[in-house]
Structure formats: C-alpha cells, structure tokens
C-alpha cells in the first residue's frame, strides 16, 4: 500500500500533469468566455472578407481611443495608433513605457479566409441561366461549396476611379446565390470519382439569374442582360468593370451557437478571425505596456502570404521602422530584439477522423489555446520551428497567468501539412511561435470552435502584452 503511493507521488513529481481542460473551469469563468464571444460573433458576421474585417477593426479601435498613425510624429507611452495597408490589412500599436528600445511585442493574425473569387471576366449565360465564373481562393474541399446559400462581397473600381462596395446576400431579406450539384439519380459516374475530382474547379460556376429582359426581337443573352441591367441600376457598373474588381462568394449564413449547451460557435472564417478578434481586443484593452505592442491583422495568408497586403510584404517592417525612428532607434535593431505570437488556428482532434491525428501531440476542443512549435510538413520543411529558449519564455508566461494551454502538431507526421505566417516573421530576425484556437472542420464553410478556447486566446494575447 505504502509502496504504491510512493510510486504515485513520484509520478506526480516527474510526469507531465494531465491537461484537464474545461472540466476544472468554474461557471463565472465560463460566463466571461460566453460574454466575450458575443463580441466575437458580431466581429465574425461583420468580417467575412479582409476589407470588411479591416473596416470593422478600425471602428472598434477608433471607438477605444486609437488614432490614425502619422509618420514622423513623436508618440508617448499609452498612445494608441492604427495604420491601414490598402484597406486589406491593419496594424494597431500601443506605445510602451520604454517604446521600442527593448524590441516590440507582436501578435499577428490573418483576416482572409478560403472562399470562391470571381474571375476577371465572370459573367455568362447558358440555357437561359446566368452564371459567374470563379477561381477559388485558398484550400477548399470543393464539394462543400455547392448547394448552399452564398453571398457576394467585394469592391468594384470603375473606369473613372470611383469605388463601389458590393454586399448582397448577407441579409436574409436579400437574395443569395448558389453553385448547383448533380442529382444522385444521375451521379453514378460522379460518385465513382475521387473527392478532389468529383467537383472540378472549372465547374464552380455560381447561378446568379434566371429571368430574361423583355424583348420583341430574337436577341441572345437576355438573362445576362437583365442581370447586368440590375447591377447597373444599383451600382452604376457595366460588364467591363469586372476587370477592375475584387468580388467573392462566401457562405451567406451568420454564425450560430452549436450544441444543446451552446459551448461551440459554428461559422464561416474562424480561421483566422478567431485569433484576429482576441488579438485585436488584447490591444484595445491593453494598459500601458513596458514595450510597444503591435497587433497586426494581415491578408493573403490562405494563398501563401504573397502580395503587398500579405505577411511577406514589407508593410509591417516599415511600420516598425517608423515607430523605431520616432524613438531614435534603428529599425533592424528593434526587430532583432522583438518577440511575436503568430496568432493562427490549428486542427482540433476529431474523434470521427482519429486516424489522421497523433493523440499525444494534438490539440483538443475546450483545452485552451494551442501552441504549435512548428508547422510545415514531413521532415519539418517550410517552418521556422520556435527555439527551446522562446518556447520556455512563452510557457512561463502562460503558466504565470494561469492560461489554459496545450501543444499540438497538425495531424500525423507525413499525412499532410500546412503553414502559417510564423516563418515570414522569423525571417525578420524575430522570435516567433504559433499560438491560437483549435478548430474542427477547418476551411469548411461552417467551422467549429469552443467559446472557452477563444477567451483563453484573448487572455493569452493580453498577458503577452501586459504581464510577461
Ligand atoms: Mn490560418
Ligand atoms: Mn487556413
């Protein structure tokens, strides 16, 4: 008997304690998480595409005392500024007591999500039905995007340079759009194809109209003409204006609580608004930190972070150089002393597809934020892989602030893989690791996350800024 308890004590001393998760969390804390997530749900519904996310984030920032950043202006500790990149990415800074002297702290999330973009020449008619041709954006399972209500979001720039924002279908009173699929009765051939071949990218054409314009003569393309007439009446655009546009289809439905207990939120674009919102609110609610803290919400992550609004652009680097210059510091030296949380999601363990995961190194719903030391794929390619030293610092910060956290990899070794913006931050000579929220059904039109995990992410970003 005595021997057994000795072993037990030794185990307790030497083994990793089991992660308990939500079962040890008391009701008041759960209530705080639920309350925080009401704000998140609004953010999610208002931010399906990056331009809308930037607009909504800037509104939240402005109403909390942030002002537009001015180059060459001297800022004081506690000042709060925001800086927008081409309407598609936004940086928010809270100036610290020591400014940029000892480096800055960065939390970086992305606000683009997988979706279906319009081609530059999208509009056509076939058998008296009008369609938009599309080219999907990011990693999607194409079959998931058929036979569901879609909304059209985006911006058109006319020949005279004026800009028109378009948003149709997000409101239930408005019409929506749809990609059709073959009925099962006639799908014997389709059903024998592999998942990636059953729905072809070139067939993701969205049905947008079915009524011809009234005509006395035997003219063609009358349904297409009717659609163009309606668009012209409402937005003043012609078919050529699609050439200078960014329009995309996203799921039309708003996010919903999921489960009898309402513990989860289902919705479009959790990847990565579920990290963007907590990182944004950590900046918004921040006191005056020791070193300047920057939350950056970037674009283009889902297609490789290329482009001048993606993480590979120098926009953030230049912003930090500007902050450094105002303090009389060298930008590259500030970066070299800086730390970053790459705020991105990872795959939550799904018991239904358990064979894709390695249970000891997976993240679980309701067990808090997930730290991914590295992402990439087999053989640790395409990842920055956080150092033991930096993992040590972040681990201490999380423990000190009693934040619920877990580690995890993206599935089994050699089964697939994926990356984040972390490696591009690391390339700027900054210490970085991924910290985010576990997601079920990632990249689906309806992804699932836990409310408690969202709140823990907020607490983690807040503690990183204010209590490390
Ligand atoms: Mn992501
Ligand atoms: Mn993603």
């Amino acid at each position: 008997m005595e021997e057994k308890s000795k072993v037990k004590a030794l185990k307790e001393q030497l083994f990793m304690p089991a992660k308990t998760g939500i079962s040890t969390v008391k009701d008041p804390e759960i209530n705080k998480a639920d309350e925080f997530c009401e704000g998140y749900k609004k953010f999610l519904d208002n931010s399906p595409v990056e331009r809308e996310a930037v607009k909504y984030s800037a509104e939240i920032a402005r109403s909390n005392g942030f002002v537009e950043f001015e180059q060459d202006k001297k800022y004081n500790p506690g000042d709060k500024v925001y800086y927008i990149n081409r309407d598609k990415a936004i940086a928010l800074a809270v100036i610290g007591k020591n400014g940029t002297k000892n480096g800055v702290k960065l939390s970086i999330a992305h606000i683009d999500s997988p979706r279906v973009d319009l081609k530059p020449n999208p509009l056509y008619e076939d058998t008296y039905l009008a369609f938009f041709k599309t080219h999907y954006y990011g990693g999607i399972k194409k079959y998931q995007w058929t036979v569901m209500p879609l909304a059209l979001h985006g911006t058109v720039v006319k020949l005279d340079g004026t800009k028109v924002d378009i948003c149709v279908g997000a409101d239930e009173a408005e019409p929506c759009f749809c990609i059709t699929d073959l009925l099962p009765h006639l799908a014997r051939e389709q059903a024998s194809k592999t998942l990636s071949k059953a729905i072809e990218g070139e067939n993701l054409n969205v049905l947008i109209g079915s009524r011809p314009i009234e005509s006395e003569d035997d003219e063609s393309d009358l349904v297409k003409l009717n659609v163009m007439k309606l668009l012209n009446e409402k937005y003043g655009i012609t078919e050529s204006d699609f050439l200078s546009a960014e329009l995309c289809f996203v799921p039309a439905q708003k996010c919903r609580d999921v489960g009898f207990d309402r513990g989860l939120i289902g919705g479009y674009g959790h990847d990565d608004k579920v990290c963007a919102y907590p990182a944004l609110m950590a900046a918004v609610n921040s006191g005056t930190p020791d070193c300047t803290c920057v939350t950056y919400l970037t674009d283009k992550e889902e297609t490789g972070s290329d482009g001048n609004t993606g993480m590979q652009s120098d926009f953030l680097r230049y912003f930090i150089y500007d902050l450094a210059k105002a303090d009389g510091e060298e930008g590259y030296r500030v970066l070299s002393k800086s730390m970053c949380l790459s705020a991105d999601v990872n795959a939550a363990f799904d018991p239904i597809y358990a064979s894709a995961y390695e249970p000891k190194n997976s993240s679980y719903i309701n067990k808090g934020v997930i730290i991914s030391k590295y992402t990439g794929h087999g053989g640790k390619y395409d990842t920055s892989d956080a150092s033991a030293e930096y993992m040590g610092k972040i681990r201490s910060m999380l423990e000190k602030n009693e934040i619920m956290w877990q580690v995890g990899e993206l599935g089994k070794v050699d089964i697939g893989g994926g990356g984040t913006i972390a490696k591009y931050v690391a390339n700027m000579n900054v210490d970085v690791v991924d910290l985010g929220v576990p997601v079920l059904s990632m990249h689906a039109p309806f992804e699932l996350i836990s409310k408690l995990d969202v709140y823990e992410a907020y607490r983690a970003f807040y503690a990183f800024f204010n209590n490390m």
Side-chain angles (χ1 to χ4, degrees), residues 81 98 118 141 158 172 202 222 230 238 352 408 447 454:
V81 296
N98 302 315
L118 260 63
K141 288 164 103 175
K158 295 195 259 186
E172 272 176 28
E202 207 53 72
L222 294 175
L230 290 167
T238 64
I352 295 175
E447 302 173 310
V454 182

Side-chain angles (χ1 to χ4, degrees), residues 42-182:
K42 282 198 194 102
F43 179 83
L44 191 62
D45 284 338
N46 280 288
S47 309
V49 298
E50 57 277 357
R51 284 175 190 266
E52 291 161 321
V54 165
K55 218 172 168 183
Y56 196 71
S57 302
E59 271 169 34
I60 292 177
R62 274 192 298 269
S63 62
N64 284 281
F66 282 72
V67 295
E68 216 177 329
F69 175 70
E70 289 172 52
Q71 281 170 324
D72 300 320
K73 187 173 166 182
K74 179 96 187 91
Y75 288 100
N76 298 311
D79 283 354
K80 296 181 166 186
V81 296
Y82 69 94
Y83 195 34
I84 294 176
N85 179 10
R86 297 171 170 85
D87 293 339
K88 295 200 275 189
I90 180 171
L92 302 103
V94 182
I95 309 298
K97 288 172 200 142
N98 302 315
T100 56
K101 196 173 71 189
N102 304 321
V104 297
K105 282 187 189 153
L106 298 157
S107 289
I108 308 179
H110 67 92
I111 45 177
D112 62 318
S113 302
R115 62 186 187 226
V116 177
D117 281 357
L118 260 63
K119 288 192 182 192
N121 186 12
L123 182 58
Y124 77 100
E125 176 177 334
D126 195 346
T127 60
Y128 303 99
L129 296 172
F131 295 91
F132 276 149
K133 296 191 79 62
T134 67
H135 191 143
Y136 63 96
Y137 173 98
I140 63 168
K141 288 164 103 175
K142 297 178 198 88
Y143 73 90
Q144 293 179 335
W145 291 75
T146 64
V147 289
M148 64 178 298
L150 298 171
L152 181 69
H153 292 246
T155 299
V156 181
V157 176
K158 295 195 259 186
L159 205 52
D160 66 2
T162 52
K163 229 159 63 166
V164 198
D165 290 332
I166 294 180
C167 178
V168 184
D171 189 326
E172 272 176 28
E174 294 166 347
C176 64
F177 311 93
C178 190
I179 298 168
T180 59
D181 194 4
L182 194 56

Side-chain angles (χ1 to χ4, degrees), residues 166-227:
I166 294 180
C167 178
V168 184
D171 189 326
E172 272 176 28
E174 294 166 347
C176 64
F177 311 93
C178 190
I179 298 168
T180 59
D181 194 4
L182 194 56
L183 62 168
H185 317 64
L186 302 180
R188 202 172 292 168
E189 194 196 331
Q190 183 193 37
S192 70
K193 292 180 183 173
T194 58
L195 213 55
S196 63
K197 290 275 164 62
I199 306 285
E200 304 268 359
E202 207 53 72
N203 287 342
L204 289 181
N205 301 320
V206 183
L207 183 54
I208 54 159
S210 55
R211 289 189 171 174
I213 209 164
E214 214 181 279
S215 163
E216 244 96 279
D217 341 287
D218 192 23
E219 286 287 337
S220 64
D221 283 343
L222 294 175
V223 178
K224 172 180 165 177
L225 184 63
N226 197 27
V227 164

Side-chain angles (χ1 to χ4, degrees), residues 110 271-272 301-302 344-345 443:
H110 67 92
D271 178 9
D272 187 30
E301 194 278 339
E302 294 296 356
D344 209 344
V345 300
H443 283 204

Side-chain angles (χ1 to χ4, degrees), residues 40 43-44 269-278 345 437 439 449-450 454 457 461:
Y40 170 54
F43 179 83
L44 191 62
H270 284 315
D271 178 9
D272 187 30
K273 279 85 166 191
V274 77
C275 299
Y277 182 74
V345 300
V437 174
V439 178
I449 53 85
S450 131
V454 182
F461 298 127

